[in-house]
Amino acid sequence: MKIAVIGTGYVGLVTGTCFADTGNDVICVDIDADKVKRMQDGEVPIYEPYLDTVFERNIRQKRLIFTTELESTVKASDIVFLALPTPPGEDGSADLSYVLGVADQLGKIMDKYTVIVDKSTVPVGTSELVHKAIAKHAKVEFDVVSNPEFLREGFAVEDFMKPDRVVIGTSSARAAKIMEDLYKPFVRQGNPLIVMDEKSAELTKYAANAFLATKITFMNEIANFCEKVGADVDKVRAGIGTDSRIGKRFLFPGIGYGGSCFPKDVQALAKSGDAYGYHFEILDSVLEVNDRQKLVLIEKLKRYFDGNLKGKHFALWGLAFKPDTDDIREAPALYMIDALLKAGATVSTFDPEGMENVRKIYGEKIKFADEMYEVLENADALLIATEWSVFRNPDFDKLAKKLKNKTIFDGRNLYELSKMIELGFYYESIGRETINPAQ
Ligand code: NAD
């Protein structure tokens, strides 16, 4: 099939590359000319495991092309995917200007029956708006399909190639058939392709993300309570995760969820509710608790240093909102850096993939190290914000030698408490006992 993908971010680039890998001819369009040039030169502009191999293979076999030209691309395509940003607007609701802006142009360009597929995460009712925007100018038949994307950054290629499910929202049998054919190679193992109406498909995406954000937030509250009563959240987690109704995943406590999806999608669903006269009380709490949780390590730090962080120097491991990505959008680490700088502290940091993006925001305000032990030099404590696997088994002798104090504040519960006792570190984590060698 001839496919156009408009927007080549984490979703669009993976979508385009994976569709090319199943034999389709894919043209990816982006307005960022510099990014398009880099991709034309064979550079993958984001860090995503395995993407470079599939990307390179499909460029070489000429099934994957990059351009800034919308008109010629749409004319050459049977299916047009919109993988455009839907960032939060000023009031937290999803900003649809990118999606509707492109939809408005499509109607003027299309010269034959075309299926327009919305892959961006959008509020209920958006496919109707997209349909109207296109219909204003269209002289040919078309269908609008909602096909929300569930890939996880860090596992994007794997998730796209072997999705838990594919959701297709359309009331057109013709478009449903085209989408089923397109996705056939990805659901060969019996993973379901679920066809439903547009609104249900749109809401499915928000419901999934809001549910997962709620699950994380619930566990963070249990962890905070564990600290108050002297229980161990890891034991509670093991105790409840074995219940098949609950499941083991997404029960790890930490310093709040971040990223480009959960924060904005929870907010957007809440706003969408308000627009229809339905108030999601549970989402208010999720948003409030998560905002607090992002600074829970800083609160611990302040208690440890008697409320005064001025003049202190901290090492920070981890910037990306989660491991295996360079995405730093809404990353808890950034909230921590802001709080530390505001309190008059200095910060040295290391992240395997996220430093370039963070440098664009902070410049010289914080220090960046080339390797993880360098940041420890003379630090009053080490803070851990992201659970990159390279942080899981560090050389603790080096840590002890380089840090000014053998003190770790771990927002991801990477280390066994017994190990910290054995090595004589002061160690605070989330929802577990504080290890204090002085006591
Ligand atoms: P992104 O910000 O990484 O990428 C968006 C791309 O669109 C950028 O390259 C930008 O230059 C381009 N763009 C903007 N306006 C354009 C225009 N008029 N024409 C062509 N290109 C244009 O975004 P993303 O993370 O890929 O997310 C895209 C959508 O998918 C969002 O709605 C998001 O919520 C959703 N989503 C994201 C993820 C994720 O993990 N990132 C997962 C599922 C769904």
Side-chain angles (χ1 to χ4, degrees):
M1 293 188 202
K2 308 268 185 229
I3 296 174
V5 179
I6 320 296
T8 60
Y10 289 85
V11 167
L13 185 56
V14 171
T15 300
T17 306
C18 292
F19 278 141
D21 209 47
T22 48
N24 299 292
D25 291 316
V26 179
I27 309 177
C28 294
V29 183
D30 207 289
I31 40 160
D32 182 340
D34 177 54
K35 188 175 182 180
V36 168
K37 170 82 176 61
R38 283 161 61 201
M39 293 188 288
Q40 286 170 338
D41 291 343
E43 187 189 329
V44 182
I46 53 168
Y47 173 73
E48 188 57 53
Y50 311 113
L51 183 59
D52 49 355
T53 314
V54 194
F55 178 89
E56 190 275 322
R57 176 167 64 224
N58 285 283
I59 290 185
R60 191 163 23 89
Q61 294 174 7
K62 301 198 168 37
R63 284 193 301 265
L64 184 60
I65 291 171
F66 299 95
T67 178
T68 52
E69 289 288 314
L70 183 68
E71 182 163 351
S72 54
T73 302
V74 170
K75 287 200 161 111
S77 306
D78 308 311
I79 311 176
V80 176
F81 278 85
L82 307 181
L84 293 155
T86 48
E90 261 172 38
D91 66 347
S93 59
D95 174 359
L96 291 178
S97 60
Y98 296 87
V99 170
L100 295 179
V102 170
D104 194 58
Q105 297 178 62
L106 292 178
K108 297 174 195 154
I109 299 172
M110 288 161 10
D111 58 0
K112 61 176 177 318
Y113 172 75
T114 310
V115 180
I116 313 300
V117 187
D118 183 11
K119 234 190 193 326
S120 300
T121 302
V122 292
V124 176
T126 302
S127 59
E128 263 172 44
L129 299 177
V130 170
H131 199 282
K132 271 192 199 143
I134 298 174
K136 233 183 347 181
H137 309 288
K139 296 193 174 57
V140 291
E141 276 187 275
F142 66 95
D143 281 308
V144 176
V145 173
S146 164
N147 169 219
E149 181 50 57
F150 299 95
L151 63 77
R152 297 162 299 166
E153 287 177 20
F155 300 89
V157 174
E158 192 185 328
D159 285 349
F160 198 93
M161 292 293 197
K162 292 179 187 165
D164 286 344
R165 78 306 209 181
V166 173
V167 170
I168 306 290
T170 180
S171 37
S172 153
R174 184 179 183 185
K177 173 79 177 66
I178 292 171
M179 294 301 287
E180 279 167 359
D181 286 348
L182 178 65
Y183 271 108
K184 232 175 232 156
F186 302 92
V187 293
R188 283 174 55 242
Q189 281 154 339
N191 31 349
L193 185 149
I194 310 167
V195 181
M196 56 179 81
D197 62 277
E198 295 86 340
K199 285 183 178 165
S200 303
E202 289 163 342
L203 188 53
T204 298
K205 174 65 190 175
Y206 278 117
N209 274 1
F211 184 83
L212 293 170
T214 305
K215 196 171 177 187
I216 294 173
T217 305
F218 176 80
M219 231 22 225
N220 285 337
E221 290 229 273
I222 293 292
N224 296 341
F225 189 56
C226 281
E227 291 178 15
K228 293 253 179 259
V229 297
D232 183 325
V233 73
D234 278 348
K235 294 182 182 143
V236 177
R237 179 170 57 78
I240 64 172
T242 40
D243 185 328
S244 59
R245 292 169 303 175
I246 295 172
K248 293 189 177 121
R249 297 172 70 185
F250 268 72
L251 291 182
F252 290 85
I255 47 174
Y257 60 78
S260 66
C261 292
F262 288 176
K264 83 171 170 61
D265 293 351
V266 172
Q267 253 189 356
L269 179 57
K271 282 288 165 195
S272 213
D274 289 345
Y276 285 88
Y278 185 83
H279 188 70
F280 281 99
E281 298 211 14
I282 198 168
L283 299 185
D284 283 351
S285 303
V286 169
L287 289 164
E288 190 187 320
V289 173
N290 195 62
D291 277 348
R292 248 188 350 240
Q293 198 69 16
K294 285 189 272 200
L295 292 176
V296 89
L297 227 47
I298 302 296
E299 293 309 315
K300 286 171 185 283
L301 209 57
K302 283 187 179 157
R303 277 197 294 275
Y304 179 78
F305 287 105
D306 295 327
N308 188 8
L309 301 183
K310 198 165 182 190
K312 297 274 182 298
H313 179 62
F314 296 106
L316 174 63
W317 277 358
L319 294 167
F321 83 94
K322 66 174 187 177
D324 294 315
T325 181
D326 59 353
D327 197 341
I328 55 150
R329 292 179 278 188
E330 291 297 313
L334 305 192
Y335 288 84
M336 288 165 55
I337 292 172
D338 289 343
L340 290 171
L341 295 179
K342 193 166 167 217
T346 51
V347 184
S348 284
T349 182
F350 171 80
D351 184 281
E353 296 293 338
M355 291 198 292
E356 208 178 304
N357 286 332
V358 172
R359 197 175 276 134
K360 286 179 201 153
I361 301 174
Y362 291 94
E364 304 290 306
K365 286 193 200 142
I366 59 173
K367 289 211 174 79
F368 298 90
D370 291 332
E371 60 93 36
M372 61 193 249
Y373 295 104
E374 199 183 313
V375 296
L376 306 172
E377 215 76 64
N378 266 324
D380 289 284
L382 166 64
L383 315 183
I384 302 174
T386 316
E387 65 276 34
W388 283 94
S389 49
V390 70
F391 302 146
R392 284 186 186 275
N393 218 352
D395 180 339
F396 284 106
D397 284 344
K398 266 195 193 171
L399 248 85
K401 275 194 201 114
K402 291 198 175 233
L403 284 168
K404 193 147 81 184
N405 306 307
K406 283 172 73 176
T407 304
I408 303 176
F409 288 83
D410 176 1
R412 301 295 176 185
N413 290 4
L414 297 189
Y415 310 129
E416 295 289 335
L417 298 182
S418 55
K419 178 126 192 160
M420 293 295 101
I421 294 172
E422 184 193 315
L423 295 173
F425 276 85
Y426 178 92
Y427 180 67
E428 286 201 46
S429 50
I430 308 292
R432 304 190 297 176
E433 182 194 345
T434 294
I435 304 304
N436 186 353
Q439 274 174 1

